Amino acid sequence: MRLILLGAPGAGKGTQAEILSRKLGIPVISTGNILRAAMKNGTPVGLKAKEYVDNGALVPDDVIIGIVEERLAESDCANGYILDGMPRTIPQAEALEERGIDIDCALSIDIDDETIVQRMSGRRTCLNCGATYHVVSAPPKAEGVCDNCGSELTVRKDDAPETVRNRLEVYHRETEPLLDFYAKRGKLITVENQPSIEATTAAIAGALGIDL
């Protein structure tokens, strides 16, 4: 199964992608993870991407598409994959089609903006090992301290409320049109955000017609 996950920043795409990956035995191709690794390592591409991410803007298409195409050529993608965070614009979606990268389904998780702002502002990330927590839904055992390595937890700049609102504006302007793009191709499935991760997973399984 070749899936694209759509939805606003903070909609839970990454969490659901990991669950689907384990159940279906296919890899998650997360452009966010690839880019964050590049930024942390200070590579030329990472430094270029960081300028855009810090301002809540989208990373240029040529950077994203090149990374994704290389990744999809690897052997573990032969039986399917889940694209998380790509495409983010109609030109990106068209570029994927032009390069022969096809998908079976575009799955959209629908959630309102205020819920996202509240959800993302509660995120905490370990400065050392990168583990993530949430002050409400997945708190660390000790406030402000990573369970794994004992390092300090922090709020990532792109999780701060003002940055989240900026990212949501970008999403509505640049990415939301993809819903119509894939609907016209008969490939869009929309799932309403549910009160829990498990309930959202169950709704996705029902929408895809698979047993998770």
Side-chain angles (χ1 to χ4, degrees), residues 20-31:
L20 288 168
S21 172
R22 290 196 302 271
K23 299 292 188 179
L24 298 174
I26 56 177
V28 177
I29 312 303
S30 171
T31 52

Side-chain angles (χ1 to χ4, degrees), residues 86-143:
M86 166 74 183
R88 286 187 174 177
T89 64
I90 286 178
Q92 285 184 356
E94 291 173 339
L96 289 177
E97 288 186 345
E98 288 166 5
R99 298 189 190 202
I101 298 171
D102 196 17
I103 59 125
D104 299 310
C105 170
L107 179 71
S108 174
I109 301 174
D110 191 24
I111 183 172
D112 68 89
D113 286 3
E114 285 310 309
T115 299
I116 286 174
V117 172
Q118 293 171 15
R119 176 183 290 179
M120 294 184 73
S121 63
R123 284 182 179 175
R124 298 293 182 269
T125 303
C126 178
L127 291 169
N128 182 49
C129 71
T132 56
Y133 302 86
H134 193 280
V135 295
V136 176
S137 60
K141 293 175 183 176
E143 185 177 348

